[in-house]
């Protein structure tokens, strides 16, 4: 990207990546609780894309097309010669640019490094990866985000989305009733906050799994876990848990009790509103 708008794409994406962490607890507070949480405590995945799009428009006047795929949104910018993609939830380091000139049999492919940057058994770098494919004629965009699994010793697909050109959000914010339905979905098997440290680039998560316990036991401090940059689980009460939690608190300007209360509060709202017959996908408490 060499045009004058390019630095604004990059700066907006970076500002969201580091300053607006992904937080699945946030929508419960906003749509079932007392309102939007502080920006520093993050937003849901779609809201990260909304925020990146807002920053680009504020700085350049250029509006994004908000592509919608089920429960996820990407901010894209169709231009004469390329397509620019901002999707902070997928943790790519830089905006992804798909150039029409690079098409092979009508398909453009682009890939880039993403967080977390992990290490293999021998200390070799193993950055996460985001791979995008764009079928120019149909406009279909597919994203695939993969991480290196230290436990398995190989890369695994972590998330994948397909976006079709007609599936767009015409306005923001989306209808409140739609959002309330989408966040009470069987795929929602945890409430969490995930941050990337701007200085070190290390990723950490605080997670409360929602599967494997009766509804009346969901709000359980003892079930909290953390994950470090390598994807290793830290269980409540351990030194690893306290270390990871301290790192998250430093990223978001919080303290342990505020952050734990924030996640448990979201779980309480979930327990009070989710249908009793909702079958939640299993959340596996194991090292990645």
């Amino acid at each position: 990207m060499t045009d004058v708008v390019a630095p604004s794409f990059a700066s907006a994406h970076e500002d969201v990546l580091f300053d607006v962490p992904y937080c699945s607890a946030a929508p419960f507070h906003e749509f079932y609780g007392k309102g939007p949480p502080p920006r520093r405590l993050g937003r849901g995945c779609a809201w990260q894309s909304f925020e990146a799009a807002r920053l680009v428009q504020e700085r350049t006047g250029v509006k994004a097309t908000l592509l919608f795929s089920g429960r996820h949104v990407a901010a894209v910018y169709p231009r004469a010669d390329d397509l620019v993609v901002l999707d902070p939830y997928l943790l790519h380091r830089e905006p992804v640019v798909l150039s029409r000139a690079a098409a092979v049999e009508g398909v453009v492919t682009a890939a880039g490094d993403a967080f977390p940057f992990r290490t293999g058994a021998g200390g070799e770098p193993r950055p996460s990866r985001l791979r995008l494919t764009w079928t120019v004629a149909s406009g279909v965009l597919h994203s695939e985000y993969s991480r290196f699994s230290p436990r398995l010793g190989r890369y695994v697909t972590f998330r994948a989305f397909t976006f079709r050109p007609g599936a767009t959000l015409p306005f923001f914010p989306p209808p409140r009733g739609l959002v309330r339905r989408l966040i009470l979905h069987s795929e929602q098997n945890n409430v969490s906050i995930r941050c990337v440290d701007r200085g070190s680039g290390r990723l950490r998560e605080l997670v409360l799994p929602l599967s494997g316990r009766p509804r009346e036991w969901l709000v359980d401090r003892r079930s909290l876990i953390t994950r470090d940059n390598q994807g290793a689980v830290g269980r409540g009460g351990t030194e690893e848990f306290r270390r990871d939690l301290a790192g998250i608190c430093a990223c978001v300007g919080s303290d342990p009790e505020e952050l734990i209360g924030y996640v448990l509060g979201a779980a309480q709202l979930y327990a009070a509103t989710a249908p009793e017959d909702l079958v939640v996908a299993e959340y596996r408490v194991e090292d990645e």
Side-chain angles (χ1 to χ4, degrees):
M1 290 184 295
T2 58
D3 57 89
V4 294
V5 178
S8 294
F9 287 139
S11 65
H13 175 71
E14 182 177 282
D15 287 349
V16 175
L17 190 61
F18 295 121
D19 298 338
V20 188
Y22 166 67
C23 182
S24 61
F28 290 99
H29 286 287
E30 179 167 358
F31 291 95
Y32 284 102
K34 297 181 179 179
R39 186 175 185 267
R40 64 183 172 84
L41 292 181
R43 291 292 187 271
C45 59
W47 262 251
Q48 287 184 296
S49 294
F50 297 151
E51 179 66 3
R54 185 190 68 80
L55 291 175
V56 169
Q57 185 171 355
E58 182 179 89
R59 295 167 184 178
T60 68
V62 178
K63 292 186 66 174
T65 297
L66 299 172
L67 292 180
F68 178 63
S69 175
R71 301 174 65 239
H72 188 60
V73 174
V76 302
Y77 297 85
R79 306 191 299 179
D81 299 320
D82 58 32
L83 180 73
V84 181
V85 180
L86 303 182
D87 193 345
Y89 172 68
L90 297 183
L91 295 165
H92 51 107
R93 291 189 66 184
E94 298 177 345
V96 181
V97 183
L98 297 122
S99 173
R100 291 178 184 271
V104 177
E105 297 183 351
V107 178
V108 182
T109 301
D113 290 345
F115 295 101
F117 278 59
R118 291 178 171 167
T119 55
E124 65 278 12
R126 292 285 187 258
S128 301
R129 298 169 177 167
L130 177 62
R131 184 175 185 270
L132 298 180
T133 56
W134 176 37
T135 304
V136 177
S138 67
V140 173
L141 177 70
H142 181 76
S143 60
E144 183 173 326
Y145 168 69
S146 59
R147 290 181 180 178
F148 179 75
S149 166
R151 179 174 58 86
L152 300 175
R154 59 179 173 82
Y155 279 87
V156 296
T157 298
F158 198 76
R159 293 287 185 271
F161 302 101
T162 298
F163 301 95
R164 304 186 185 281
T168 61
L169 290 179
F171 54 85
F172 172 81
R176 187 175 182 86
L178 172 64
V179 178
R180 286 167 67 102
R181 289 194 302 274
L182 289 176
I183 61 178
L184 295 178
H185 190 280
S186 60
E187 291 179 356
Q188 188 66 54
N189 62 1
N190 71 88
V191 286
S192 65
I193 182 168
R194 178 191 75 189
C195 66
V196 181
D197 184 86
R198 187 184 281 269
S200 68
R202 299 186 73 81
L203 182 147
R204 302 178 182 89
E205 297 177 83
L206 175 65
V207 184
L208 180 69
L210 297 175
S211 62
R213 299 192 308 284
R215 180 66 60 90
E216 62 269 22
W217 293 351
L218 282 184
V219 187
D220 182 5
R221 187 186 186 105
R222 296 167 300 179
S223 297
L224 285 164
I225 65 167
T226 56
R227 291 188 185 274
D228 66 11
N229 194 71
Q230 287 287 96
V233 171
R235 295 179 181 272
T238 65
E239 181 57 35
E240 291 79 10
F241 180 90
R242 289 190 289 270
R243 177 202 63 205
D244 296 338
L245 182 59
I248 299 168
C249 288
C251 273
V252 303
S254 184
D255 61 69
E257 286 308 307
E258 180 194 28
L259 206 57
I260 288 173
Y262 179 64
V263 171
L264 292 179
Q268 188 169 20
L269 291 166
Y270 173 90
T273 55
E276 290 290 340
D277 60 351
L278 179 64
V279 178
V280 178
E282 180 187 5
Y283 183 93
R284 303 186 67 173
V285 182
E286 62 183 7
D287 295 346
E288 289 184 4

